[in-house]
């Protein structure tokens, strides 16, 4: 995070709380050792299962010269709103929030908990009810998580990931005790960068995208026929996906496989 933007970070957290309260939710801005965490709750019955909708409120920097409109000013262009963060992650966050409110209005037996933070990469951590505050507070306990920080198949087709694949809680740090010249490492002297690349290769196949950690896929359920039909109706296109994100190529040859793996 740009240190000069800390005041803006606090402002957007407070605005998030205000919006949640405006929609009838209970909302709290939780202070942490880093940046604030916004927690909102739409409660129908405390006894019902809780669905946590996760999203983030931060945005990446923007080069104004690459934009046709001011990146940090919301601009309307026909039926579109342009601005940094409208797709990642403000739009998906609002779609999930309105969906949660509609579900409760229709009597779906659940309690919705919406959480988001404004961190450097938008990631907040939940481990058995614990948050960045380091406390296992009861309001943070949940039965399931929906991640609304995800790609939409096309305009007008909101999408959310209904499972969270994995949370990585460990970081491998390779720090030499002394500075060594480039020509010294790689033989008898171990190269930290090479060691890290070897670790990544043991965990992940860069050619196929498959995770190689034993047991990683044991609890992953295969898509059923109805889900495959739903993916097809969503309008995902391999070509559109490639063009929209400025990719020179994609890993998989067909739209069907791209949709399953994206």
């Amino acid at each position: 995070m740009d240190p000069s933007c800390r005041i803006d970070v606090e402002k957007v957290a407070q605005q998030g709380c205000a919006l949640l309260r405006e929609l009838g939710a209970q909302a709290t801005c939780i202070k942490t050792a880093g940046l604030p965490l916004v927690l909102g709750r739409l409660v129908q019955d405390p006894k019902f299962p809780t669905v946590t909708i996760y999203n983030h409120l931060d945005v990446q920097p923007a080069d104004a010269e690459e934009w046709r409109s001011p990146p940090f000013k919301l601009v309307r262009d026909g039926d579109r709103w342009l601005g940094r963060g409208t797709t990642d992650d403000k739009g998906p966050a609002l779609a999930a929030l309105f969906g949660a409110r509609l579900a409760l209005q229709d009597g779906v037996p659940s309690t919705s908990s919406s959480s988001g933070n404004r961190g450097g990469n938008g990631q907040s951590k939940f481990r058995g009810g614990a948050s960045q505050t380091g406390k296992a507070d009861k309001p943070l306990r949940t039965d399931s998580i929906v991640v609304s920080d995800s790609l939409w198949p096309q305009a007008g087709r909101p999408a959310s990931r209904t499972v969270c694949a994995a949370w990585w809680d460990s970081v491998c740090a390779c720090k030499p005790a002394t500075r060594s010249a480039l020509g010294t490492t790689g033989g008898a002297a171990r190269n930290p960068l090479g060691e890290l690349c070897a670790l990544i290769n043991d965990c992940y196949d860069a050619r196929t995208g498959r995770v190689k950690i034993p047991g990683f896929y044991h609890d992953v359920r295969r898509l059923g026929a109805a889900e495959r039909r739903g993916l097809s109706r969503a309008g995902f296109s391999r070509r559109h996906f490639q063009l929209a994100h400025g990719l020179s190529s994609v890993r998989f040859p067909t739209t069907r496989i791209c949709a399953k793996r994206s």
Side-chain angles (χ1 to χ4, degrees), residues 111-232:
T111 291
S112 295
S113 174
S114 177
S115 66
N117 81 332
R118 183 85 153 79
N121 59 1
Q123 300 300 312
S124 61
K125 300 178 181 178
F126 290 85
R127 303 187 195 90
S131 73
Q132 290 181 336
T133 61
K135 301 177 181 178
D137 297 325
K138 186 175 181 181
L140 297 179
R141 294 176 183 169
T142 189
D143 296 287
S144 57
I145 299 175
V146 173
V147 180
S148 71
D149 181 14
S150 55
L151 300 176
W152 289 14
Q154 60 178 341
R157 292 280 186 174
S160 289
R161 293 172 183 159
T162 55
V163 296
C164 190
W167 293 102
W168 290 87
D169 293 322
S170 61
V171 176
C172 175
C174 299
K175 183 178 180 181
T178 60
R179 291 181 177 271
S180 300
L182 181 62
T184 305
T185 60
R190 296 168 66 178
N191 187 324
L193 181 59
E195 301 279 336
L196 186 58
C197 289
L199 174 63
I200 294 172
N201 184 66
D202 287 342
C203 296
Y204 167 76
D205 189 326
R207 291 181 177 82
T208 65
R210 296 281 296 181
V211 175
K212 298 194 290 186
I213 300 172
F216 185 86
Y217 293 104
H218 284 179
D219 294 331
V220 178
R221 181 175 57 81
R222 291 183 177 276
L223 290 178
E227 291 164 321
R228 289 195 295 271
R229 289 194 296 270
L231 274 175
S232 178

Side-chain angles (χ1 to χ4, degrees), residues 34-140:
L35 298 173
L37 176 70
V38 175
L39 176 66
R41 289 172 62 83
L42 289 165
V43 181
Q44 184 177 19
D45 187 327
K47 297 179 181 178
F48 288 161
T50 298
V51 178
T52 294
I53 301 171
Y54 166 80
N55 58 74
H56 64 88
L57 302 177
D58 67 315
V59 297
Q60 293 292 324
D63 185 347
E65 295 183 357
E66 297 181 355
W67 285 67
R68 289 177 292 179
S69 61
F72 293 106
K73 181 179 179 180
L74 194 60
V75 176
R76 185 166 186 172
D77 181 13
D79 61 351
R80 293 173 175 264
W81 289 95
L82 308 178
R84 193 55 153 171
T86 52
T87 299
D88 184 13
D89 187 32
K90 306 295 193 303
L94 286 173
L97 178 59
F98 290 140
R101 186 177 65 166
L102 180 62
L104 266 64
Q105 289 174 346
D106 286 350
V108 176
S110 67
T111 291
S112 295
S113 174
S114 177
S115 66
N117 81 332
R118 183 85 153 79
N121 59 1
Q123 300 300 312
S124 61
K125 300 178 181 178
F126 290 85
R127 303 187 195 90
S131 73
Q132 290 181 336
T133 61
K135 301 177 181 178
D137 297 325
K138 186 175 181 181
L140 297 179

